[in-house]
């Protein structure tokens, strides 16, 4: 069964999707400013991987 957002005035926000779109935009900006390909290290910096790995509960199992 497919669910469709209601039409007319119903604002639907998917915060995860919006965050992913923002990260993609950041990657596009970084790639366009780079001289050649982005290194994995630069990609991690753009995506703030180090910050995500230091957040409490990230990567840990219950």
């Amino acid at each position: 069964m497919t669910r469709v957002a209601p039409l007319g005035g119903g604002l639907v926000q998917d915060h995860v999707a919006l965050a992913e779109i923002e990260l993609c935009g950041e990657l596009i900006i970084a790639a366009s400013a780079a001289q050649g390909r982005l290194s994995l290290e630069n990609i991690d910096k753009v995506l703030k991987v180090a910050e995500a790995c230091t957040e409490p509960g990230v990567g840990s199992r219950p």
Side-chain angles (χ1 to χ4, degrees):
M1 179 167 148
T2 303
R3 294 185 184 221
V4 179
L7 295 176
L11 180 63
V12 177
Q13 288 188 2
D14 183 339
H15 297 286
V16 174
L18 292 174
E20 289 178 357
I21 291 167
E22 184 176 337
L23 290 173
C24 286
E26 294 295 328
L27 279 174
I28 291 168
I29 291 167
S32 66
Q35 300 285 333
R37 292 181 172 218
L38 289 176
S39 68
L40 293 178
E41 182 179 283
N42 285 337
I43 292 170
D44 286 348
K45 285 179 185 176
V46 171
L47 298 178
K48 302 176 183 170
V49 172
E51 293 175 21
C53 291
T54 59
E55 290 180 12
V58 174
S60 62
R61 294 180 182 229

